[in-house]
Amino acid sequence: MSKVICCLSQKGGVGKSTIARIAAVAYAAAGWSTIILDADASQETSNEWFTRRLDNPKAKTTDLWVSRAKGVNPVKKERASGNYDMIIVDGAPHATDASVMYAKQADLILIPTGTAIDDLEPAVRMAISLVSVHGIDRERIRFVLNHCSRNKRETSQAIEAILGSGLKVMGAMLNESPCYRSAMDAGLAPNEVPYFIPKNRATFVAESIANELEAQFCDGSMGVN
Ligand SMILES: Nc1ncnc2c1ncn2[C@@H]1O[C@H](COP(=O)(O)OP(=O)(O)OP(=O)(O)O)[C@@H](O)[C@H]1O
Ligand SMILES: [Mg+2]
């Protein structure tokens, strides 16, 4: 059965599409048939990104697809089709009823956030609501810090705030880096940039996502890097 990862947030611009693309490119490169379901009907940024990707000869993955999230329950439909090993939902800018539906079906829920309190507090509130109002298992939720600066105090305060709320945060995080934007402008993902350090950071995020997913199943290596 397909595995499902969803990227959700309460705020726009925190990195849902960025994290979805990092994971999708890594899984596709590892031989998983992968689809991103773009649940952001108002912008369809991942759909547009995929159009740019198809025009970029540097994009090497073959079995990677992006589609609008269509119908009443797009994850159920794609799971039933049996076409994909990995379904990644790129969530809408704000949490909606659909976000809850995706969270309920996801093996792993990723919540990207910046480190500032203005970003963190809504993200933590959304996660707590998923757990306490909607019955989502908190063990399936991972925060991913994005747009991080070199200020270690900012990062460690953000980590403490998340852990202090009884939630989990991935050790791998993404620094703010203009090369990620230009890569995505060209239809690539941050783990496909040509620069050693930013590429390694994004690759570490992909590996950590794979490890977190694997830990949900404890069924041996999933072979993603
Ligand atoms: N670590 C980063 N460094 C530099 N730019 C980044 C980084 N992460 C994301 N961006 C850029 O920030 C913008 C928002 O990122 P992204 O589209 O992934 O957020 P989002 O949560 O999907 O936004 P939305 O809610 O609008 O769907 C994009 O232009 C993206 O290229
Ligand atoms: Mg987006």
Side-chain angles (χ1 to χ4, degrees):
M1 180 143 118
S2 341
K3 302 284 190 281
V4 178
I5 294 175
C6 72
C7 300
L8 301 179
S9 76
Q10 184 57 40
K11 289 190 72 165
V14 290
K16 296 174 295 294
S17 303
T18 302
I19 300 297
R21 294 164 194 176
I22 289 174
V25 162
Y27 275 102
W32 292 50
S33 177
T34 301
I35 186 165
I36 298 177
L37 290 178
D38 189 340
D40 180 1
S42 62
Q43 303 184 90
E44 299 197 347
T45 52
S46 279
N47 229 7
E48 296 298 329
W49 169 80
F50 188 58
T51 306
R52 300 195 294 279
R53 186 173 179 84
L54 292 176
D55 284 339
N56 187 339
K58 289 184 185 150
K60 301 289 184 212
T61 48
T62 46
D63 210 353
L64 167 60
W65 309 97
V66 179
S67 165
R68 292 183 187 102
K70 290 180 291 232
V72 180
N73 189 337
V75 167
K76 190 173 173 195
K77 182 171 148 253
E78 294 303 347
R79 253 187 167 153
S81 78
N83 290 336
Y84 302 103
D85 305 312
M86 171 58 69
I87 299 168
I88 299 176
V89 179
D90 177 9
H94 306 288
T96 60
D97 290 348
S99 311
V100 174
M101 175 184 73
Y102 295 129
K104 285 186 173 166
Q105 296 173 93
D107 302 301
L108 183 65
I109 300 155
L110 299 175
I111 304 182
T113 177
T115 53
I117 289 174
D118 282 346
D119 294 331
L120 270 174
E121 284 189 340
V124 166
R125 275 200 299 273
M126 183 191 79
I128 289 174
S129 149
L130 285 176
V131 173
S132 56
V133 180
H134 300 288
I136 305 286
D137 177 3
R138 70 172 65 228
E139 288 305 314
R140 285 193 281 127
I141 301 176
R142 292 291 179 279
F143 280 79
V144 188
L145 295 182
N146 187 22
H147 297 290
C148 298
S149 72
R150 289 192 181 157
N151 184 331
K152 291 208 173 93
R153 197 163 64 93
E154 246 177 25
T155 312
S156 52
Q157 281 176 347
I159 292 172
E160 275 169 32
I162 294 166
L163 296 178
S165 311
L167 296 157
K168 291 191 174 164
V169 54
M170 286 195 349
M173 58 193 74
L174 273 192
N175 281 30
E176 175 73 18
S177 178
C179 71
Y180 294 152
R181 281 193 289 275
S182 33
M184 290 192 281
D185 286 353
L188 300 174
N191 36 347
E192 296 176 304
V193 298
Y195 312 109
F196 186 73
I197 291 175
K199 181 185 168 91
N200 273 1
R201 279 206 189 99
T203 300
F204 183 40
V205 168
E207 286 170 353
S208 301
I209 292 170
N211 287 339
E212 297 289 5
L213 183 65
E214 197 179 316
Q216 303 290 325
F217 294 95
C218 303
D219 62 355
S221 171
M222 289 178 154
V224 172
N225 56 38

